[in-house]
Amino acid sequence: MTDIARPVPPKAPAAEVRIDSGRLRGRIEGDVAVFRGVPYAAPPVGQLRWRAPQPVAPWKGVRPALAFGFDGFHVEDPGDPLAGTQPHGEDCLTLNVWRPAKRPAAPASVLVWIHGGGFTNGAASAATYDGAAFARRGLVVVTINYRLGRFGFFAHQALTREAGGERVGNFGLMDQVAALEWVRRNITAFGGDRGNVTIMGESAGGWSVNMLMTSPPARALFHRAVAESAGGRVGTFGKSLVSWPKAQEIGETFAAHHGVAGGDAAALAALRALPAEALQVAPFFIAPRDTYSGPMVDGWLVPKDPGAAFAEGAVAPVPYLVGCNSREVDDMVEARPMAAALLKAAGPGAAAALARAYGDADAAEAGLMGDIVFVEPARYTARCMADRAAAAPVYLYRFGYVPQAYAAQLKGAAHTTEVQFVFDKTGSADARDLAVGRMMNGYWANFVRSGDPNGPGLAPWPRFDRAGGELLFIDRDGSARASADPKAAILDALAAAPFDPA
């Protein structure tokens, strides 16, 4: 296995901490201390493939924490602006920590970032996920890897038998819980407050946040939640979440394709002996419905469909910030054919109602997929949280800013484009881009600290409630304003349509 640790330059200042598995040496980078590639679980290889995360073996001496660990095995998506930077490997259960170079005098609020990628790609090593801007605001930031695709989400009768009948399959979500448990045990060594942890993610990472909010094993491990472009109900494409029987069926089909039959120890050994390349899964928007490996309703880690859990109030009662972008998928070539097929399946009555809500049939077809997958579910989960008795505060946003370099080409903000502004990592010299980055990073940092995004120099962001329905708009020109939702009629029509609005 390739050694990807890089030696620290001779004059680079070092930072050392002791965690439960041994001493770590990171580095000081300006006014921020960074620790990269820290293992939070044993490598899930060999006999640990498709097992719950196991403890890290303690080490002697000081372990370098200077380079990112392996990205999880995945199929590269050439168009992904948030792709990882490291070689792929099954030995991917590492995390990274940023904190102020000078250890905070008082325990600092902690942000745990869960990357997106449809549960089939992505990595914490993506350059945009640099936590330095948050650390300069006094936070401790943790970014995590977790197992992806069939490495992270795989159900099979042999695994169920090995686990004594327990429904095991959501290994990637088990990894996320293990990372949060690591934070609880170790974050004080970095100056963080284990009693003030926010989980935050985008796309599949936001989906993860919503699932963790409904997961009993995760319940005590965080205190606030941020879900960006997360959906919130079972995926329209039938790929985001599957039932336990369907997950088993997908696993059995995969095994049979590789000549493995039965559910005994020999079958499991044969599956674990398959080369990593045989397990890779195409990105979720390409993979056929019957082969996609993603999260499943297993009855304990994911007790039920998260959308139903939100409706029933079976979620962590924590401050919640949720939202999406203005044109998530409107410009994708796949969007219109998918929308046309959904409208046809919904029937003429629903199609006519949606056409009236949008203004005409063409507008309905153009905007449907972004609204059905992201916009309506964001309002749905916000409403569910706000409807709770003695509800914790809820904040809803819609991000529409277009970087100046693309202002002539794009009509609004596409999927993932808010992330660079949230992390204040635009790489731009444009004054407006930089201002939006400072604004977004400021709102999000305030929420991580207190559960309220408001603060000096920022436009007021009202709490969301069903009666007023106000959210914060970040407009195409970068200005921020609170307003009632102009898409309310459309979203109400979507929620009433005879297809699952997520």
Side-chain angles (χ1 to χ4, degrees), residues 241-287:
L241 204 63
V242 297
S243 68
W244 178 252
K246 183 63 178 178
Q248 292 265 93
E249 179 186 325
I250 292 171
E252 302 294 331
T253 300
F254 169 80
H257 177 74
H258 288 277
V260 179
D264 59 10
L268 185 52
L271 288 168
R272 285 186 170 137
L274 290 172
E277 290 75 14
L279 272 63
Q280 293 187 116
V281 178
F284 74 99
F285 52 87
I286 296 174

Side-chain angles (χ1 to χ4, degrees), residues 52-260:
Q54 300 298 303
V56 174
W59 58 81
K60 296 181 179 179
V62 181
R63 180 189 179 107
L66 308 173
F68 292 115
F70 288 102
D71 294 347
F73 254 108
H74 63 269
V75 177
E76 294 288 358
D77 176 7
D80 185 1
L82 299 174
T85 61
Q86 300 302 300
H88 296 187
E90 286 191 73
D91 178 7
C92 65
L93 299 187
T94 60
L95 52 77
N96 318 288
V97 183
W98 285 258
R99 66 164 172 83
K102 184 178 180 181
R103 184 186 167 109
S109 303
V110 179
L111 165 59
V112 178
W113 174 258
I114 305 170
H115 71 76
F119 298 105
T120 59
N121 63 0
S125 65
T128 303
Y129 304 149
D130 186 305
F134 281 117
R136 292 188 189 104
R137 293 181 183 269
L139 307 183
V140 174
V141 180
V142 180
T143 65
I144 69 171
N145 282 337
Y146 53 96
R147 284 172 281 183
L148 302 170
R150 197 167 282 113
F151 300 94
F153 303 95
F154 182 64
H156 190 274
Q157 58 177 316
L159 288 169
T160 304
R161 180 174 295 177
E162 180 185 62
E166 186 176 7
R167 292 181 172 186
V168 292
N170 283 314
F171 302 103
L173 294 178
M174 294 182 203
D175 296 341
Q176 294 175 13
V177 172
L180 290 172
E181 290 171 339
W182 182 97
V183 167
R184 169 156 287 204
R185 296 193 312 271
N186 291 296
I187 206 64
T188 55
F190 299 87
D193 182 355
R194 59 180 287 185
N196 188 356
V197 175
T198 297
I199 54 172
M200 183 164 92
E202 182 270 341
S203 195
W207 250 108
S208 297
V209 166
N210 284 344
M211 283 188 283
L212 291 170
M213 290 179 69
T214 73
S215 178
R219 185 65 57 88
L221 300 175
F222 61 92
H223 310 90
R224 297 185 241 293
V226 180
E228 302 173 24
S229 301
R233 311 195 198 204
V234 172
T236 300
F237 311 113
K239 297 178 181 177
S240 293
L241 204 63
V242 297
S243 68
W244 178 252
K246 183 63 178 178
Q248 292 265 93
E249 179 186 325
I250 292 171
E252 302 294 331
T253 300
F254 169 80
H257 177 74
H258 288 277
V260 179

